[in-house]
Amino acid sequence: MTSWREAVAHRLWVRFGIVLGILVVYPFPVSMLPKFSLIDKLANQPFTWLNHWVGEGVLGLAPMPDSFNGSGDRIYDYISVLVLVTLAILGAAIWTAVDRRADHPRLVAGLRIVLRYYLAGVMLSYGFSKILRSQYSDLAIARYSEELGGMSPMRLLWTFMDYSKPYTIFGGLAEAIGGVLLLWRRTATLGALIVAAVMTNVLMLNLCYDVPVKLFSAQCLIIAIALAAPRLRAVVAAAMGYATAEVPPRPRMSSRWELARWAARLTMVALLGWGLFAELGGGSGGAVADHELLGGWAVDTMAIDGVERPALLGDAERWKTIAAAD
């Protein structure tokens, strides 16, 4: 029999997860739609003020720029995580103090749907950016003559990914397939497991090669684990050859609510498709014929002001190689 303390702890944990999940994806789906950046900024303005107040006013940190500069691992971003977790703790505590109900199955089910579509949108975006070679591209000619010791860890990783087109497409397919499977309830657990495996690898690459997307990749991994967790025991049991219960059918509503549900689902898919098309539809233009000088060249002789410069290791002005790119 569950004790009172265990019941309260369970209630707090569930409500903490609900509040944190809502805060993490807010203001989805606006945040993923093109030409809605102003609305997204206005919706996040209260959190921006709160982040600055906590970071600069409470913790006494130096003024933190909040404009995005390509990095998702700034001090501002870590302060944002602290603020969201704190708000989720306070929200769960207040909620539990004023509401003594044990469970919220409809709210949890609704949040799972939102998290599924949110994660699906992220995975499809990253997946197709790899498949269409917009995140990674063909290795630049100049990169072939670049010294390995002069590369940053992130540049080394990008060189590794740029070098192999089949591997980047393979990684993109894994992300995209996981994202597509998340769109349907019966395949959501499989999709979440695929995304969890993919994002574990992505997070480790970001950590080990100092790619500034560590917080966001960790967030996607946690969401994938949370989506897979309710059915994880059944998946493990089935993999070990044990009989498992069938996925219970979804409770049906009135015909009017079923029609509204399908309309909302189609709208969400259309919005995700619109955002994905706008993000990846820029293209790079038509193909250009290669010039005869395109490529990397070794400099055999070089003269400066008519004076030939021998290839000495200590001569910083003497060219050793030259690359002609398109």
Side-chain angles (χ1 to χ4, degrees):
M1 187 173 181
T2 304
S3 66
W4 176 82
R5 290 184 179 180
E6 291 175 343
V8 172
H10 173 75
R11 226 174 293 167
L12 282 169
W13 177 249
V14 171
R15 291 170 180 179
F16 169 79
I18 292 173
V19 177
L20 184 61
I22 293 172
L23 292 175
V24 165
V25 302
Y26 174 86
F28 175 80
V30 174
S31 57
M32 288 190 172
L33 299 180
K35 301 181 181 180
F36 278 76
S37 57
L38 179 59
I39 298 177
D40 182 33
K41 183 177 181 180
L42 292 175
N44 280 295
Q45 193 61 52
F47 294 98
T48 302
W49 292 333
L50 190 56
N51 293 341
H52 282 290
W53 177 74
V54 171
E56 299 164 15
V58 177
L59 300 179
L61 300 177
M64 304 177 298
D66 51 59
S67 57
F68 185 65
N69 62 356
S71 172
D73 295 329
R74 304 163 295 172
I75 295 178
Y76 176 86
D77 299 301
Y78 283 93
I79 295 296
S80 179
V81 172
L82 174 63
V83 168
L84 293 184
V85 172
T86 303
L87 289 176
I89 293 173
L90 293 174
I94 296 172
W95 188 357
T96 303
V98 300
D99 187 356
R100 301 300 179 90
R101 288 179 296 173
D103 296 308
H104 306 276
R106 290 188 177 182
L107 186 57
V108 172
L111 179 60
R112 282 181 57 82
I113 294 173
V114 172
L115 291 177
R116 278 170 42 206
Y117 278 88
Y118 171 81
L119 189 57
V122 173
M123 289 298 103
L124 289 171
S125 175
Y126 275 100
F128 278 102
S129 69
K130 291 179 177 66
I131 295 171
L132 300 178
R133 302 284 288 171
S134 59
Q135 181 179 6
Y136 302 107
S137 57
D138 294 336
L139 199 62
I141 295 296
R143 197 78 63 85
Y144 284 97
S145 58
E146 187 174 349
E147 293 183 356
L148 184 64
M151 293 184 181
S152 66
M154 179 176 172
R155 188 170 180 82
L156 177 60
L157 174 61
W158 246 246
T159 303
F160 166 78
M161 298 298 290
D162 284 344
Y163 181 81
S164 178
K165 182 177 180 180
Y167 181 77
T168 55
I169 292 177
F170 168 77
L173 285 173
E175 293 176 343
I177 290 172
V180 170
L181 292 174
L182 284 169
L183 297 175
W184 284 272
R185 185 177 67 94
R186 289 187 174 274
T187 58
T189 300
L190 178 59
L193 290 173
I194 292 175
V195 172
V198 170
M199 293 311 300
T200 298
N201 180 56
V202 171
L203 177 59
M204 287 305 299
L205 289 173
N206 292 342
L207 290 172
C208 297
Y209 288 88
D210 197 24
V211 181
V213 201
K214 305 175 190 68
L215 286 176
F216 186 67
S217 55
Q219 170 189 304
C220 291
L221 175 58
I222 292 171
I223 293 175
I225 293 173
L227 290 173
R231 296 289 300 172
L232 189 57
R233 181 178 297 180
V235 171
V236 174
M240 296 178 65
Y242 294 100
T244 58
E246 184 182 2
V247 177
R250 181 181 59 82
R252 297 292 172 177
M253 300 175 287
S254 65
S255 57
R256 180 178 298 179
W257 280 107
E258 285 293 322
L259 182 61
R261 187 184 70 84
W262 270 102
R265 184 175 187 174
L266 292 176
T267 301
M268 184 65 70
V269 172
L271 290 175
L272 290 178
W274 178 33
L276 186 64
F277 176 80
E279 181 178 352
L280 303 176
S284 57
V288 179
D290 292 342
H291 193 274
E292 59 182 0
L293 296 179
L294 182 65
W297 301 84
V299 179
D300 295 327
T301 59
M302 178 180 175
I304 299 178
D305 295 332
V307 179
E308 185 172 341
R309 304 290 288 265
L312 301 178
L313 292 176
D315 190 350
E317 295 183 354
R318 208 277 186 188
W319 295 358
K320 300 177 179 62
T321 60
I322 187 172
D326 53 0

